[in-house]
Structure formats: C-alpha cells, structure tokens
C-alpha cells in the first residue's frame, strides 16, 4: 500500500507573508529530509520565486493553454534544497475566472499522479488571499489537503481574513474537507501582537503553531531571491522556520475551528482597540493591558 | 472522497416542471435568427446551440432550419481555457471570422451563462469592431437572467439602442410592430404578416422587424415611424418605453387579433390611434367581414350538426391564452371555461392581464371564464380538477365535459384524460410543421377555425 502523502494548505490575507512562510517551510522540510512539493495557487504565480533564485516558472495553466495538455516535466521544477515547485497560474487581473483556474490546475496534478510518481512526502498548497469563491476552496475540499494552516499578523484585516477562512473550513468540515491545523502568527514583535493572536486563537478554539518574528534576515534573503533556509541557514530566523517545519511534519490532528460571526468579530476588535488605547495613553502598563 | 452528490439537496421550493419557454439566450437567438440579413454570434459554452435547435426550434413547429440558424451559426464554444483566462479573445476571433465568412449586414453577439459568470467584457470586444465601422451589436442574454421572453426583449432593446438610427426622417405612413416573440410564438411569421395586411388596409406600411418581408434598412429608419404597435400586454412593453425615450415615438398595446371579432376591435383601436376616419375603418370592417363570413359559412351546417357550442380549456402564454379564448368565445361561440396562463409572472403583471383581459362572459352559467396562472405544467391537471370534478357530486352537475383543449404539445395527456380534442397552438408545438400559418386578422381567423374544427374530426 502506498504511503499517505501529507497535503497541507496555507491560507491567509494577501501580503501577509504566506509565500515567504510557505517557501521557508518547504525549504526547511527538505532540509529535514522530506520530499516536498510546493504548489502556488495564485494567478500572480510568484509563490515559489524564492525557491527558484527569484525567477518565475511556467505555470500549469499557461502550459495547458499553449499545448492543450501537459506532462509532469513541463510543470514541475526543482528548487533550492530539492523542493519541487509548481505554479497553478491563472488569468491576467480583471479577466477570466481565477477560481476555475485553480480547479483546473489541481485536477491536472491529480490526473498526472505527480505526488505518487515523485514519491512526495509533503505537499504544500500556497493559496491566494481570501476564499473568495469555490475555486479557492478546492485545496481544502474534496479530500485534497487534510490540514490547513493560516498565516496571520495581529492586524484586524488579516484576522478578518483568517476568520473567513475558518468559516470556509467549518462549511466543508462535515463532508471530508480539510480541518484547521492552526495559526502561524507572522510579524509578531510587539507584546500586544502576540496577545491579540493568542486571544483570537482562544476565541476560535484553535492553536498557534508558531510565532514568527518580523526579521530583516527575511528581507535580505528575499532580495537575493532565496529562502532564509538557503541564504542564512544558521540565523535565528532559520531556526524558527525549522522548528515550525518540524511541528508541521509531525502534526496529525486538525480540528474544526469555531469562527466568530461578523458582529462578534467587530465587538472583539473593538475591545482590543480600547485596550491598546489605554496602553498608549499610559492608563495601564503594557504588561497589565494584555 | 466526497462529491457534490453527497451533499444534502436544497429544498425544491422553486422547482418547476414542464416550463413552456426556454432561457434568455434561446429567446434571443430565435429573435436574432429571424432578423433580416443578420448573423447571430453566440458567445457561450458548448451545447447551447444544438439544444436550441432541437429542443426549442423543434418545438416551434419544427423550425430547425434557416441561414445561419440552428446548427450552422458562429459560436465561441467556450472551453476550460477560456473560462480561466477569459473568453474575450476567442469572441474576437470568432467575430472576425464570422464577418469574413458569413454573408450578413448585421452581426449580433448574444451571451450565454458562461461568459456572464466569468465577467467577459463583451461590450469592449464589440466596441472594437463597431468603432472600426463593422455592424456588430450585442445583447446580454445569460440564461440565469431570465427566460425566452426576457431574451426577446433584450434583443429589441439592443436594436432600438444600437441599430435604429436616431433622427430618421418622419415617414407618416410607417408604423412599427412587435410583441410577437419568434418561435416562442410558433405562428409568429404568419401572425406578423397578418397584422401587416390589416395595417395595409388602413393605409399604412408595417415594419415588423422579424421574418420574411422584414427589411434591415427599414429597421434602421424605424425611428421615423408614426406609431409603435405592441401586439401584447406584456412582451415588448419595456422595449416600447425605451423606443419612446430614445426616439420619441409613442406606442399602443393591443392583444393579438385572432379572427373577425378581435380584428374589428384592432382596426378600430389602431385606426383611432393613427387618426384614420371612423367611416373609413367601418368600411374596411364591412368589406372584410363580408368576405370572411362568406368563407366561414361553409362550415355552418357542420357546426349545427356538431352542436359546436362547446366547453374549452385554453392553455397558453399571456398572448395566446387570451387571444385564443377570445376567438373561441366570440368567433366560434365556444365556452372557454378555464383559461390557464403559463408564464412565470409577477403579481403586477398578472394584475395587468386580469384587469385588461378577464371581463369576458364565457364560462358556465353565464359566469366569467376562470383565469388561472400556472407556470408549473404539473399543476395544470389540478386546476382542471378544481374546475370540473369539484362539481361532479352535485345532482345536476354539468353534463358536458370540455370538448377541446387548446394548448401546447405538453397538454396531450390532459386532453386524452378528459376525452377531449387537442389542438396545439402555444409553445411547445412539436406535433405540427408550421411555416407561414398565422391566426391574426380575418384570414387568420379562418385558419384557426379550420384547425379547431379539424381537431374534432382528426380521427375520421
């Protein structure tokens, strides 16, 4: 019997650091000895850039469009540390249907049986911003990915997107869809940032998998077109990603999250606004405020 | 692995069986296919065209042929790739080739569901050609936006906005006529031409847009018409309002004039609106009526012998249900006890019909005909039961059953169950080949009388 391939999906608001986090997790997993594939599910097609020296690779949909059918070697490219890189691709902004594109690309990967043929251990789907339509929910339904991790900062809009995602997961949870592995808290430096995401995790009955601090090492590595694992393997930031990768590799039990209603979310955000204001005005000490 | 089939089905609150129409694209395609020298260009996924050809046109009196209609029309045939990347390039390519290859004076793009869901900017593609001097226009006709009647109305609106020229010179003898949706009205050709002949009697030329005898140049100049006549209480009314707004031509709405009685009313109403002297109108009515009844006389003894004052059930759309019931009641002396209107209508539109059309005394015991609105064909038999069987417990229940069901091909079973004759006039009509047959005017009335009486003796 073939081994079970661990398929996980990374979601989160656009610009929050999903691709950076995904690529570093992929690179770290490869370093830990796993055979990894990262599938970028975003029409921008830049998910795997830092695994490929800052370059773009031909996408599944572009190749399919040009040739009518695709073969595995036309769409799978090897990146740093041996990570297999795939970009789903999609239409130019403002035309066509990107959601349908994701569906088509994922279908192609299934049909080509690339995970089995390459003996992949772990597949990471790096999915665009919000779950705006059915197409972007494909990696988390139909039994494709089993675990979802969401990248969020403590910014309200990022948490709003995460909460939306939780609603999507909950919707598909009873029909074999992916469940939530937890939150990857990104750009967490200020004490209150940590407190906010902790509180959000508690409210939605999930967990924080890792706190990833904002670091100039990440910026430096990205400017070189590399992951932190490749550019600064001995840095503290690389250590954070390695620990995160280790946790993800060992992760087994995901759960159905309990998203807040829009009203609850606004009330919750409002209560945090008051707390932050009190800290700023010195009414309470930072450590008491949180 | 789960699939959509594993998900619980939503409650069937809006399910509708045996609808008597197609989708917006179907209605629009029937209209565009009927426009003179016009090439339809379908921007849709695969399957729509063949579906309309066999299902819709086949049910429209077997009207499956025609230049560039049916299976031979240009279409973008959108595939997965166009869905993902947008279908505008494919449309541009199809349009360029259609203009190159197909011999037409107007290229009419119609959209199906797929490009409307993915948000193709069809206006931009069409504008590119239009700016280049090519005669290309576009109507948005996604099936999810409405049914055939909506599609017909969309085509009219596009014509009035993009084809009818503004400020055309006035032509005092010209009137525009519409309100008869091609194919959805299976006898549309004959009906339009029948009305054109009536207008000719009044001294006017009719521009009727669709079918043999319609003329694209006349359509372009139609803003110079004296009056617009909408042969419907509902279909084409919005378009008429748009025409008035854009080109300043007023309109009147009048029912389809089937037979002598309705035609007399039509001539008087339209004559008055066009300021034809009452005396002249009466002269026409007298002369035409004389000719008409000379013909009808031929069936007189048969009529008496058959005791042909029969109960009837009439089933049809807003145009046909009342026009046919009126004919049966006023020209043949039948009793159309039950009139079932099969459109999917808002309460407001039902009210318009009830106010304008239900004053007739034609039911049992001198009561008015009963009018029911039943879009769901499956519930028609219930309405019949309510009308007829509810009284069967009475000692002196009506001894006569309805002798004829005048409706569509979908009503064959109902007629058989009642032991009644069956005549198909309303869409779908899949048991008759229809070419130039029409029921409007005096001559149309003779044709309809022939059809009604023939249905009683079909088994001889």
């Amino acid at each position: 019997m073939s081994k079970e391939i661990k398929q996980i999906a990374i979601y989160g608001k656009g610009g929050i650091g999903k691709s950076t986090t995904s690529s570093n997790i992929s690179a770290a997993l490869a370093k830990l000895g796993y055979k990894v594939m990262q599938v970028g599910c975003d029409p921008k097609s830049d998910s795997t850039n830092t695994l490929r020296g800052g370059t773009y690779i031909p996408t599944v949909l572009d190749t399919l469009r040009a040739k009518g059918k695709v073969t595995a070697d036309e769409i799978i490219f090897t990146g740093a540390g041996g990570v297999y890189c795939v970009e789903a691709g999609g239409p130019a902004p403002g035309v066509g249907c990107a959601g349908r594109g994701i569906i088509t690309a994922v279908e192609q990967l299934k049909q080509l049986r690339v995970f089995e043929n390459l003996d992949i251990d772990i597949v990471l789907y790096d999915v665009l911003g919000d779950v705006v339509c059915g197409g972007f929910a494909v990696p988390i339904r139909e039994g494709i990915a089993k675990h979802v991790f969401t990248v969020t900062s403590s910014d309200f809009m990022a948490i709003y997107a995460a909460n939306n995602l939780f609603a999507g997961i909950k919707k598909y949870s009873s029909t074999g869809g992916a469940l939530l592995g937890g939150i990857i808290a990104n750009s967490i430096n200020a004490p209150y940032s940590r407190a906010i995401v902790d509180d959000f995790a508690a409210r939605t009955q999930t967990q924080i998998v890792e706190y990833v601090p904002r670091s100039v090492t990440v910026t430096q590595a990205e400017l070189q077109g590399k992951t932190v694992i490749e550019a600064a393997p001995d840095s503290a930031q690389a250590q954070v990603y390695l620990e995160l990768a280790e946790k993800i590799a060992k992760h087994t039990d995901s759960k159905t999250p309990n998203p807040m209603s829009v009203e609850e979310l606004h009330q919750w955000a409002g209560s945090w606004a008051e707390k932050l204001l009190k800290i700023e005005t010195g009414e309470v000490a930072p450590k008491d405020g949180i | 692995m789960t699939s959509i089939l594993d998900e619980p089905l939503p409650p069937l609150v809006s399910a509708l069986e045996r609808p008597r129409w197609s989708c917006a694209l179907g209605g629009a395609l029937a209209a565009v296919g009927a426009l003179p020298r016009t090439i339809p260009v379908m921007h849709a996924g695969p399957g729509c065209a063949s579906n309309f050809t066999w299902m819709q046109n086949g049910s429209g009196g077997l009207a499956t042929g025609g230049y560039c209609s049916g299976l031979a029309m240009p279409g973008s045939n959108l595939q997965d790739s166009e869905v993902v990347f947008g279908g505008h390039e494919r449309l541009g390519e199809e349009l360029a080739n259609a203009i190159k290859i197909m011999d037409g004076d107007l290229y009419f793009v119609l959209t199906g569901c797929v490009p409307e869901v993915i948000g193709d900017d069809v206006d931009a593609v069409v504008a590119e050609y239009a700016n280049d001097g090519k005669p290309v226009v576009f109507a948005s006709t996604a099936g999810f936006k409405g049914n055939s009647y909506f599609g017909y109305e969309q085509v009219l609106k596009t014509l009035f906005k993009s084809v009818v020229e503004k400020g055309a010179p006035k032509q005092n003898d010209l009137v525009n006529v519409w309100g008869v949706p091609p194919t959805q009205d299976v006898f549309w050709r004959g009906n339009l031409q029948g009305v054109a002949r009536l207008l000719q009697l009044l001294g006017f030329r009719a521009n009727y847009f669709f079918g043999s005898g319609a003329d694209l140049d006349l359509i372009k100049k139609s803003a110079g018409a004296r009056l617009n006549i909408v042969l419907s209480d509902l279909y084409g009314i919005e378009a008429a309002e748009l025409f008035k707004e854009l080109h300043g031509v007023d309109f009147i709405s009048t029912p389809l004039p089937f037979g002598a009685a309705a035609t007399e009313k039509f001539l008087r109403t339209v004559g008055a609106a066009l300021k034809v002297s009452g005396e002249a109108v009466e002269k026409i009515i007298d002369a035409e009526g004389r000719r008409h009844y000379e013909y009808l006389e031929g069936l007189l003894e048969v009529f008496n012998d058959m005791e042909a004052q029969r109960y009837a059930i009439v089933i049809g759309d807003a145009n046909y249900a009342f026009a046919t019931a009126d004919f049966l009641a006023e020209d043949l002396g039948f009793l159309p006890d039950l009139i079932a209107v099969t459109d999917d209508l808002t309460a407001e539109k039902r009210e318009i019909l009830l106010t304008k059309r239900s004053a007739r005394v034609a039911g049992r015991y001198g009561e008015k005909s009963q009018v029911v609105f039943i879009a769901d064909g499956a519930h028609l038999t219930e309405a019949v039961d309510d009308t007829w069987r509810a009284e069967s417990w009475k000692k002196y229940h009506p001894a006569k059953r309805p002798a004829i069901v005048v409706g569509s091909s979908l009503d064959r079973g109902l007629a058989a169950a009642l032991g009644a004759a069956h005549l198909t006039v309303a869409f779908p009509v899949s048991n008759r080949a229809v070419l130039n047959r029409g029921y409007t005017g005096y001559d149309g009335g003779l044709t309809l009388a022939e059809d009604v009486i023939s249905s009683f003796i079909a088994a001889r």
Side-chain angles (χ1 to χ4, degrees):
Chain A
M1 192 181 132
S2 62
K3 70 176 178 187
E4 192 178 341
I5 301 160
K6 184 167 228 162
Q7 302 202 50
I8 65 170
I10 311 276
Y11 280 81
K13 184 184 175 298
I16 209 68
K18 280 185 308 298
S19 297
T20 305
T21 309
S22 300
S23 300
N24 277 295
I25 293 170
S26 293
L29 285 167
K31 196 170 182 178
L32 293 170
Y34 296 99
K35 289 188 94 171
V36 186
M37 178 177 281
Q38 180 163 323
V39 182
C41 297
D42 187 329
K44 288 202 307 295
S45 317
D46 58 358
S47 165
T48 59
N49 276 20
T50 54
L51 290 163
R52 293 272 307 162
T55 59
Y56 285 84
I57 58 174
T59 71
V60 178
L61 291 171
D62 279 335
T63 311
L64 194 62
R65 192 186 195 189
K67 303 192 173 177
K69 64 175 195 166
V70 295
T71 55
D73 59 347
E74 288 170 324
I75 53 166
I76 301 169
F77 298 84
T78 311
V83 175
Y84 295 111
C85 302
V86 175
E87 292 287 353
V95 295
C97 181
R100 179 66 221 174
I102 303 296
I103 297 170
T104 305
V106 170
E107 274 173 5
Q108 283 297 317
L109 293 175
K110 269 172 142 179
Q111 278 173 18
L112 292 170
R113 297 182 61 82
V114 294
F115 309 146
E116 293 83 353
N117 294 344
L118 290 170
D119 194 27
I120 302 285
D121 298 311
I122 300 173
V123 183
L124 254 91
Y125 297 90
D126 172 17
V127 193
L128 162 151
D130 214 332
V131 195
V132 285
C133 72
F136 294 97
V138 158
I140 58 169
R141 60 175 210 233
E142 296 172 18
I144 296 174
K146 282 274 182 287
H147 312 281
V148 179
F149 293 90
T150 181
V151 181
T152 184
S153 69
S154 61
D155 292 342
F156 179 66
M157 291 319 291
I159 285 180
Y160 184 87
N163 193 64
N164 265 355
L165 168 69
F166 292 179
I169 294 171
K170 191 173 180 184
K171 176 176 166 52
Y172 294 113
S173 62
S174 58
T175 52
L179 299 179
L180 187 66
I183 294 171
I184 300 166
N186 201 27
S187 303
I188 302 298
N189 290 52
Y192 68 82
S193 300
R194 188 171 176 139
I196 290 173
V197 289
D198 279 348
D199 192 25
F200 174 65
R203 286 292 298 265
T204 53
Q205 293 166 19
T206 182
Q207 57 166 344
I208 307 291
V209 190
E210 192 65 77
Y211 302 93
V212 181
R214 179 181 289 279
S215 161
V216 74
T217 318
V218 177
T219 314
Q220 283 168 340
E222 289 207 327
L223 288 172
Q224 296 171 49
K226 290 175 178 172
T227 59
V228 174
I229 304 297
E230 191 189 0
D234 301 323
S235 63
Q237 193 74 8
Q239 198 51 43
V240 175
Y241 286 127
L242 280 163
E243 279 166 25
L244 172 57
E246 184 95 51
K247 285 179 193 166
I248 286 175
K250 288 188 177 149
H251 177 88
T252 51
D253 292 328
S254 289
K255 293 185 176 117
T256 304
N258 188 24
M260 288 187 249
S261 68
V262 173
E263 204 171 287
E264 284 170 335
L265 194 62
H266 278 278
Q267 276 173 5
W268 175 83
S271 72
W272 269 101
E274 278 173 31
K275 279 186 201 170
L276 293 179
L277 187 68
K278 283 179 183 169
I279 294 169
E280 194 146 300
T281 55
E283 209 172 311
V284 292
K287 68 179 177 56
D288 299 327
I290 52 174
Chain B
M1 192 172 131
T2 57
S3 77
I4 195 161
L5 294 173
D6 298 319
E7 292 182 14
L9 286 168
L12 295 170
V13 284
S14 58
L16 199 144
E17 278 185 54
R18 281 178 263 166
R20 288 145 201 260
W21 57 79
S22 177
C23 71
L25 180 58
L29 194 62
V32 171
L35 278 170
R37 302 273 312 147
T38 302
I39 311 295
V41 179
M42 242 171 104
H43 189 39
C48 295
S50 62
N51 182 30
F52 295 134
T53 303
W54 299 120
M55 187 284 289
Q56 173 180 283
N57 300 359
S59 303
L62 310 185
T64 49
Y67 181 65
C68 234
S69 65
L71 301 173
M73 78 186 80
S76 56
N77 193 28
L78 298 172
Q79 304 291 312
D80 208 7
S81 175
E82 285 84 25
V83 173
V84 174
F85 292 101
H88 51 287
E89 285 174 17
R90 182 73 265 283
L91 173 62
E93 183 185 33
E94 189 66 31
L95 208 42
N97 288 333
I99 292 169
K100 204 186 294 172
I101 293 168
M102 308 309 291
D103 177 25
D105 293 330
L106 178 66
Y107 297 82
F108 209 124
V109 178
L110 298 170
T111 44
C113 297
V114 169
E116 299 272 1
V117 167
I118 65 172
D120 270 354
D121 191 356
V122 178
D123 271 321
V125 179
V126 168
E128 221 175 277
Y129 286 86
N131 294 340
D132 213 19
K134 300 281 194 302
V136 181
V137 296
F138 155 56
S140 168
T141 51
F144 56 78
K145 285 188 174 176
N147 63 16
S148 304
Y149 299 103
F150 172 80
Y152 168 68
E153 192 108 23
Q154 289 291 89
V155 168
L156 288 176
K157 286 180 181 175
T158 295
L159 283 175
F160 301 164
K161 270 190 279 193
S162 311
V163 177
V164 174
E165 292 163 4
K166 283 206 167 184
K170 279 283 159 208
Q171 303 185 59
N172 263 333
D173 65 336
L174 182 69
V175 287
N176 298 318
V177 178
W178 66 81
V180 175
T183 305
Q184 197 60 38
D185 179 336
V186 179
F187 303 86
W188 61 278
R189 290 186 187 88
N191 285 343
L192 283 171
Q193 281 161 23
V195 168
R197 276 194 293 277
L198 295 178
L199 290 163
Q200 204 177 10
L201 291 172
L202 289 169
F204 291 86
R205 279 184 303 143
N207 162 43
Y208 45 87
F209 296 88
F210 303 105
S212 170
D215 175 15
L216 194 56
D217 285 327
L218 197 56
I219 292 173
K220 289 179 187 167
K221 303 277 181 258
S222 62
R226 185 151 153 191
L227 182 71
N228 292 332
I229 300 170
V230 184
L231 298 167
S232 175
D233 296 315
L234 302 180
Y235 319 137
I237 298 290
E238 275 183 32
E241 281 158 2
L242 181 72
F243 200 111
K244 189 178 175 184
E245 187 189 319
L246 293 173
H247 306 291
V249 180
D250 225 332
F251 74 94
I252 60 166
S253 144
T254 153
L256 276 175
F258 285 179
T263 300
E264 285 176 18
K265 283 184 205 158
F266 176 86
L267 288 169
R268 289 191 181 109
T269 308
V270 173
L274 289 168
K275 301 196 170 53
V276 180
S277 80
E279 203 184 323
V281 172
E282 293 310 317
K283 235 171 146 178
I284 295 165
I285 289 171
D286 192 50
E288 288 296 310
R290 208 175 282 275
R291 185 175 148 267
H292 174 79
Y293 288 111
E294 268 176 29
Y295 277 110
L296 201 60
E297 245 175 14
L299 289 172
L300 200 60
E301 293 307 328
V302 175
F303 238 71
N304 288 337
D305 193 47
M306 288 168 78
E307 293 183 57
Q309 191 187 37
R310 305 287 190 97
Y311 289 120
I313 292 174
V314 180
I315 302 162
D317 67 11
N319 276 9
Y320 263 68
F322 295 105
T324 311
D326 272 345
F327 173 81
L328 290 174
E330 295 184 29
D331 286 48
L332 297 189
F334 279 44
L335 300 168
D337 194 52
L338 178 70
I339 300 172
V341 183
T342 53
D343 301 60
D344 196 13
L345 298 174
T346 60
E348 195 188 2
K349 287 186 171 170
R350 290 178 184 196
E351 196 55 44
I352 291 172
L353 292 176
L354 287 174
T355 310
K356 283 188 162 180
R357 304 286 157 233
S358 70
R360 179 184 322 100
V361 177
R364 281 164 292 173
Y365 327 125
E367 288 168 4
K368 283 201 286 185
S369 300
Q370 193 193 342
V371 178
V372 292
F373 293 92
I374 300 178
D376 191 328
H379 293 302
L380 258 171
T381 47
E382 291 164 24
V384 173
D385 280 354
D386 287 349
T387 309
W388 294 92
R389 287 183 200 146
E391 303 215 355
S392 63
W393 59 272
K394 289 181 181 173
K395 193 172 178 185
Y396 300 106
H397 66 83
K400 285 181 182 173
R401 308 288 293 165
I404 185 167
V405 173
V406 184
S408 73
S409 288
L410 293 174
D411 307 312
R412 175 176 298 284
L414 174 67
L418 291 165
H422 178 223
L423 174 65
T424 53
V425 295
F427 186 90
V429 174
S430 45
N431 65 332
R432 304 175 70 180
V434 179
L435 296 172
N436 68 344
R437 201 174 198 75
Y439 296 140
T440 53
Y442 291 99
D443 286 353
L446 294 177
T447 307
L448 189 48
E450 286 171 352
D451 288 352
V452 170
I453 303 304
S454 297
S455 72
F456 287 114
I457 55 171
R460 284 186 190 174

